[in-house]
Structure formats: structure tokens, C-alpha cells
Amino acid sequence: MRHTSSLIGALLIANILMATRLTLTLTFSRSIIPPLLTRTPRCSHFNPKQFPKSFPCPLWSSSFSFCLHTLHKSKSTSPLSSFSTCSMASSAPPQDDDVASNPLLQDFEFPPFDSVEPKHVRPGIRAILKKLESDLDELERNVEPSWPKLVEPLEKIVDKLSVIWGIVNHLKAVKDTPELRSAIEDVQAEKVKFQLRLGQSKPIYNAFKAIQESPDWQSLSDARKRIVESQIKEAVLNGVSLEDDKREEFNKIEQELEKLSQKFGENVLDATKKFEKLITDKKEIEGLPATALGLAAQSAVSKGHANANAENGPWVITLDAPSYIAVMQHARNRSLREEVYRAYITRASSGDLDNTKIIEQILKLRLEKAKLLNYNNYAEVSMATKMATVDKAEELLEKLRLASWDAAVQDMEDLRKFSKSQGASEADDLTHWDISFWSERLRESKYDINEEELRPFFSLPKVIDALFNLVRTLFGIEVEPADGLAPVWNNDVRFFRVKDSKGSPIAYFYFDPYSRPSEKRQGAWMDEVFARSRVLSRDGNSTRLPVAHMVCNQTPPVGDKPSLMTFREVETVFHEFGHALQHMLTKQDEGLVAGIRGIEWDAVELPSQFMENWCYHRETLMGIAKHFETGESLPEEVYLKLVAARTFRAGSLSLRQLKFASVDLELHSKYVPGGPESIYDVDRRVSERTQVIPPFPEDKFLCSFSHIFAGGYAAGYYSYKWAEVLSADAFSAFEDAGLDNSQAVKETGHKFRETILALGGGKAPLEVFVQFRGREPTPDALLRHNGLLSVAASA
């Protein structure tokens, strides 16, 4: 047992030790793409060519998107008591296009999310770009290799575009309209052109090189050294060293990639919305729980069936995650499951929305870009700013695959036996649309847990109360409602203030919890609005405080009931808040490496996945699990079953993530666009090692794999597993201290805050981890939490 674990540990540690200290500044967006279960990436804030900035969740997450429009207000007295409907916030009075009245160009303390309209985007972005061009001209003329004459003015330029573009990009994610899409598309090329000019500025590059080579280099702080090293590395990756003709070719590639990525995401959204199945016979949806029937009926209402209700229908089934997952897990009608499954795996793969050629072109251009930069493939470009190397990432994935395979095969055998014992006609021929259904039945039988019956114990107000209580205990902070202090984009959005133990504000965040499928993209994600910064202080004295937004897509309130959550939705909220905590609790004043900025991509999921572990902590979970009507606590035996069920089908779920990570690396390291293999050939070849049941020939899941084709996870999806090793090991520090020892938990929480959460990108992730844990990471805790440690030991 010890031997195999140490091999994985040695692999991880060797990789980390070889890792570059040069960092890519990113952000997170945890989007969900669930071919059964899902969670979505981040993009670069300081990497001048990548300003989209969010951290999507991995493809097993639980952030469900429900097709609802008209819902009623929750009657809770918790901080979320005013979480209400999915109605749109009232729009601002009409404004003209005059720059002077453009809300994007005003001096604001918090973004004017309530008043920005599509008509403001073109003039607003163009005015910002014009001003930033002038600022960049001045910086290049007067640049000196010093902090005040180089880094501070550069931070102001980068931050201004990041904030303003972040506003319009965020609105596109949560309040999408054709007009907004068109406006963004019109100015996107101009924005990318400026980013490329900034990223390829030789005066700035030479000034950073001069700082690195100066006699004062050794006296710089770790954070400042990281900034300098990062900027030199990023400038090279941005093409600063290319000859004029090659730089022109590089810039064309970057412009085209930006357009293709945008189009890929729009096609997935439109294809998801396009599928609707109207059902009028209740027998066809037998087995669907009341919650799913209610949502399907409200979806029908939104489609014009005014009299639809949960009991009598009609009902509309969609490919939105909550609707899709409910059918796959609960519909007894096997032909319905098949129809919905086939529609799901072929999204955006035909007609006007076909992403196949877009994928081919993206992969072709990424390879051309890599060759221009003298790399063998795009995966090497990606890894240049991560902890891992291609070889070490693949080694870790293979070690975890070996630890998961036999368990996944046994999972499938267990399903066959169970379905046969239940008299299922398909028992000897179980296929993809049967797995989720029979898994749920087996889980209910084995642990006597029905997720739908647990929903009343997980109301959103109680979950938020428990989450805020937990972070008070762990990190000594207070979270309080601050609604009305900042404009919001929808009436359901809440605004919160975070205070330290002395009562002083240290951060703020928005929380947008509910699905709005007509305008809001699927998934769950955290993103930054403002980063902590000494240079960008509004009053010139105090540091600018960080502001985040946290977006989920869970069940909205129905009738007079609050949002009642599945356990996976609870995990998703904890996950996103982990990202937000690292952004908000940073003590780093250098804005370019504060919070989530400057942290290597494959380490950035550590705090988010760490927070999920607390969902299984008895005191935390029992604090959440109170029946929303009676106040009754979750029975002890149910809690114990939830904990026991944590490792249910762990091998299968692990393989699923490993499949996504492996096909991502394969496409970006070995695949030859236009060669003898198609992208689907690669997918099927990888599936032979990572799927117990091979995919269908018509499976076109790659056409909706937004993480790698419309997000920041290209040659980086492996980072979910990489960071999972780090996060499980970090949580094991609390287990070692004693989870029932409140004083030890507080002391360990304080140490976690002062290292993992406080240091931001100002130190290399391995150094930060060792400072917290007292040693380098090992995967033992992850395998133990997944019930796979003994499997790995015998492998």
C-alpha cells in the first residue's frame, strides 16, 4: 500500500519541483457541462491577451440550471431571506450613446451592472481603448526599470481594461441578448489588438529584463520577483521576440482564436436551448420527482402553455442540466432517457450550430501558434505557465487511472447484478442512458438515500448560514448582507460585505444563485470584479479592497418554498466560495499577484476543492441540514449514510474526470489537425482506456466541451485532479489536528488563511503548500477520501 502511494507522491513532487516559478495570472469560472454530472476555468487577468476571467467547475459538478422564469419570494429570515424570483431587474432609463453619459466610463465605486446596456458597449470600449492607447504610448516613452515607472502604470492599464471588459463579459454570461453579443463581437477585435500590442511591447519587456539583471534584484520581495519573472515569460509567450512577419502571423492567429472561442460557446448555449420535448402523458415521465415535474411544468408555462402544472402537465424537458439530470437519474421510461441522452451528446454537432470545424480550426491554430513560439505542441505552451509538465501530468493521470479502473469495472458489474435483481429487461445490455438511472436506484437501495427526499433539509438560506458560520470559525471573518450598497444585474442577486475580527471591511461579493436559462449560461463560477491593490486605492491611502462575484445555476424557489438544494448543489456553493475566499482574504498588496492572480492554473482549485470537504464534516453538515418547514435536524443515520455514500462509484467518477483530462492532453500534444485521425477518433481511442462502456459512434461530446474550446482549460483540464491532490492533503491537516477539537480546527484554519488564502500569487504554490503543511504533498489523502487507497496499493 505504502509503495504505490509513494510512487504517486514522488511523481507529483518531482513534477512540482521541476515546475517553473513563472506564473500565469488567471481567474475562475466553474461552468457545468454535465453528460451526467459536471462543474467549469479561469482566464488570465494579467496575461494581456486573455481578459475573460472565470473559474468553471469540472465536468462532474452539480451546479444545475433550471428552466424557470416566474417564481416567488422565499420567506426565510436568514441572510438570504430576500432571495426571490428569477425576474429581471428593472432596466435603467433610456440613455443616448453620448460618451459623457456612458455608465462604463463613469467613476464608480462598484460597477453599474444595473444600467449598462448593449448600446453602451461599442462607444464605451472604444473610448477606454483610446485612452489606454494614449497611456501605453506615455508609458513606453517614459519607461524606466523601476516599480513606480514601470509596474505601477502598467498595473493601471491592465486593470482598467480588465474591469471594464469584465463588466460586459459578465453581463453576457448572466444576461445574454443578441444585441449584447453583437456589440461585444464588434469591439472584440479592437480589444484583442490592444492586448497584443501591450503584450508585445518591447520597451516594457526590456525594462522588466533590466530589473531582473540589476544589482537590486536580490533585494526585491518574493512577490515582486514573481511579477517580473511572470511578465518576462508572458511577453515571450505573447510573441514579443518574434520577427515582424511572424509577429503579424501570430497576431492574426490570436484574433481568429478569440472569435472561434466565442462562437463555440454561443453554439453550445444555442444548441442547449434549442432542444425541447413537450410531454402531455404523465406515464411518459413516470419516476420523475415532484421537484423535476414542477420545473418541467414551469418551463412549459414559459414556452406558452399557460395552464401547465406539476400534477397534470404539460411538461417540457430540456437539455439544461437540472432537467437533463433528472431524466437520466429518475425517468423509468427508457426510450425517453435514450432520446434525451442522444440529444445531449450530440449538442452543437450538426447544422448551423456544428462546432466540429471550429474545433479543427482551433486545434490547427493553436498548433501553429506553438510552432511560432518554438514549442513542439500547444500543450507545451500551456504547461510553460503551470506547475506541471506534459509528461508529469500524464504520469499522474495514469497512476490515478490504474487506481480507478478495477473499481470502475466493479461498479459496472454491481449495476448489472442489481438491475437484474430488480427484473430489468435491459440488465444484460446496460448502456449509457441506463447507468445514471440504475446508479441512483442502487444508491437508494444501498444507503437508503433519496436525493429528492433530502432537498427539504438543504434550503439555500440554511446552507448560506452554515457556510458563513464555518468561515467565521475557520478564518475569523464575518459575512453580512450589504444589499443596496452596489447595483446588481438581477433582483435575485445578493451583495455581501466581509469583515475581519475587528469589524473592518476587507472584501465584498455578489451572489447570483438561480438558473435563468433564457439568458444565463450554464454552470457555476467565481470571478473577480476588483482585485486587492495598493496602487489602485481610491483615496491614495488605504488599499483597494477585493470584490468578487459568485454565480450558480441551482433550483430557484418554487411557490412559497425557498430554493431546496440537492447535496451536490450544496457542494457547488462551498466550492465556489472557496475560490472567492482566496480572492477576498488575500493580504497581498501587489495587485498583479493578489488573490487568485498569479497563481499557477493547476494550483488554483486547491481552496475550492478544499471547501467541499466540509460538506461531510458532521458539525457543518448538521448545521445546514434543518428541514425548511419543521426545523427538524437531519437524522443521524442519514448523515452517516451520506458520508458512507461519498465513495459510491468513486472509481467511475474518477475515470470520468481522467477521460476528459486525457483527451484534452492528447488533442493538444499528439493530435495532428488534418491528419489521418479525426478528433472523434482520438476521443474513442482515449475512451478505450478510460471508459468501461465505450462511447457510441455518434457521441460528439467534444462539440460541447467548452472548458477547453471556449474556456481557459486547453491542455489544462488535468489541473482539477492535480489540485485535488493538493486540496485533499490540505484538508488532511485538519483531520490530523482533530476535526472534533474546536481549538485545533481554529488554529489550523488560521494557518490555512495566512498561507493558502493570504499569499496569493506572491509565492510559488509548492512553497505556499509546504509553509502550510510542513511538507510536500502526497496523493494518499485523495485516494483515502475516494476509497481507492487500498486499490492503488495493490495495483
Side-chain angles (χ1 to χ4, degrees), residues 358-420:
I358 291 177
I359 293 173
E360 289 281 359
Q361 189 65 6
I362 286 174
L363 292 172
K364 176 174 175 288
L365 291 173
R366 284 175 177 169
L367 181 58
E368 289 176 8
K369 172 181 169 178
K371 299 287 190 184
L372 283 172
L373 294 172
N374 290 319
Y375 287 93
N376 292 313
N377 52 62
Y378 186 79
E380 290 182 1
V381 177
S382 173
M383 298 295 180
T385 50
K386 293 180 173 67
M387 294 175 70
T389 64
V390 176
D391 288 346
K392 294 303 178 182
E394 288 177 339
E395 282 182 57
L396 178 62
L397 294 177
E398 179 60 11
K399 292 291 183 183
L400 295 176
R401 188 190 75 82
L402 289 173
S404 305
W405 180 263
D406 287 349
V409 171
Q410 186 60 51
D411 287 343
M412 197 63 221
E413 187 56 31
D414 291 345
L415 279 193
R416 288 194 181 100
K417 286 180 180 175
F418 177 75
S419 60
K420 197 160 200 169

Side-chain angles (χ1 to χ4, degrees), residues 5 151 183 281 354 374 439 569 640 650 781:
S5 298
V151 183
D281 184 351
D354 191 349
N374 290 319
S439 294
E569 287 176 331
L640 294 174

